[in-house]
Amino acid sequence: EAAVTQSPRNKVAVTGGKVTLSCNQTNNHNNMYWYRQDTGHGLRLIHYSYGAGSTEKGDIPDGYKASRPSQENFSLILELATPSQTSVYFCASGDAADFYEQYFGPGTRLTVL
Amino acid sequence: AQKVTQTQTSISVMEKTTVTMDCVYETQDSSYFLFWYKQTASGEIVFLIRQDSYKKENATVGHYSLNFQKPKSSIGLIITATQIEDSAVYFCAMREGITGNTGKLIFGLGTTLQVQP
């Protein structure tokens, strides 16, 4: 019963195409996060959310949008995908009750050709 | 500016020994929280242990413990009686109290641990 799930797990997209990465959590956490992980850069925060209806820019938001339609779901949207967005994307959830310890999904490997 | 640095890129140890992974951080905040995460070969990222800056006692969970040296802005992860399954990448992370309810973490670049049989 994984608490944070992501779909798809792997995605190949074409340059200029639209990509949506989905994340679902059953932790009932208020906060959710999207990161990308690249060799030499570690985990970098793209967008985050405090709760349904809210999205905030992280450290590297350019080229990405986010959507939080419900407590459980948080999506990352690439309107016009570029090869530089080829990466592994992780979703995480966290909450004050857990001291904001973040719990991660399994990751999505995105390749933009 | 806040920063987390892991100077050890990789470490190799023999099974059943003890290993320490280093992490130093920079913050202007008087209240902060430090975390260690493990990323397995499959890519899964798992929370391991947390240290609150206002606590003097080092946190311990199972065979993981921390060496918190506040004057040195250092938080080392100690793994005792290492097992093959401990082979992974270990990330240090920090959350500053001033970030409020964002819960934002700053991550180091990670240390790769290889446990040899």
Side-chain angles (χ1 to χ4, degrees):
Chain A
E1 314 87 355
V4 182
T5 56
Q6 295 181 230
S7 63
R9 295 294 312 279
N10 291 281
K11 173 75 176 178
V12 178
V14 295
T15 298
K18 182 177 180 178
V19 177
T20 300
L21 306 183
S22 299
C23 178
N24 177 277
Q25 57 108 352
T26 57
N27 295 320
N28 197 31
H29 285 161
N30 286 323
N31 290 19
M32 294 185 75
Y33 309 86
W34 276 107
Y35 295 90
R36 62 178 285 175
Q37 185 178 35
D38 305 283
T39 303
H41 292 281
L43 286 159
R44 293 183 289 175
L45 182 65
I46 306 170
H47 283 288
Y48 62 100
S49 168
Y50 294 110
S54 91
T55 61
E56 302 289 336
K57 293 180 180 179
D59 300 321
I60 54 163
D62 293 346
Y64 302 93
K65 289 172 57 178
S67 174
R68 181 89 181 269
S70 65
Q71 178 82 340
E72 297 80 16
N73 295 296
F74 190 37
S75 297
L76 185 68
I77 304 152
L78 291 66
E79 295 278 5
L80 294 170
T82 69
S84 65
Q85 293 175 313
T86 294
S87 187
V88 181
Y89 292 85
F90 287 94
C91 176
S93 72
D95 201 90
D98 290 327
F99 292 88
Y100 295 107
E101 297 163 0
Q102 293 186 15
Y103 295 87
F104 285 80
T108 294
R109 184 172 296 276
L110 173 65
T111 302
V112 183
L113 302 175
Chain B
Q2 60 273 31
K3 190 176 180 181
V4 175
T5 303
Q6 296 179 250
T7 56
Q8 301 155 306
T9 303
S10 64
I11 302 174
S12 182
V13 301
M14 299 302 293
E15 192 178 13
K16 300 179 184 176
T17 61
T18 295
V19 63
T20 298
M21 282 174 270
D22 301 328
C23 175
V24 292
Y25 55 90
E26 296 176 24
T27 180
Q28 302 299 318
D29 201 353
S30 58
S31 173
Y32 49 90
F33 304 83
L34 301 161
F35 306 81
W36 280 89
Y37 287 82
K38 171 184 179 181
Q39 185 171 30
T40 63
S42 67
E44 181 186 18
I45 300 175
V46 179
F47 164 73
L48 293 179
I49 191 168
R50 184 188 87 244
Q51 179 76 40
D52 302 341
S53 65
Y54 56 86
K55 291 187 177 179
K56 292 185 178 180
E57 307 80 29
N58 290 318
T60 298
V61 175
H63 75 144
Y64 302 108
S65 61
L66 298 177
N67 180 19
F68 181 40
Q69 299 184 63
K70 196 170 183 179
K72 295 183 178 181
S73 296
S74 171
I75 183 74
L77 174 68
I78 303 167
I79 306 177
T80 56
T82 52
Q83 304 163 11
I84 302 296
E85 309 85 81
D86 292 323
S87 297
V89 179
Y90 290 82
F91 291 98
C92 178
M94 174 177 67
R95 175 172 75 83
E96 293 179 311
I98 59 172
T99 57
N101 63 348
T102 70
K104 289 174 64 177
L105 297 180
I106 303 156
F107 286 87
L109 295 184
T111 296
T112 299
L113 174 67
Q114 185 154 21
V115 180
Q116 308 275 7

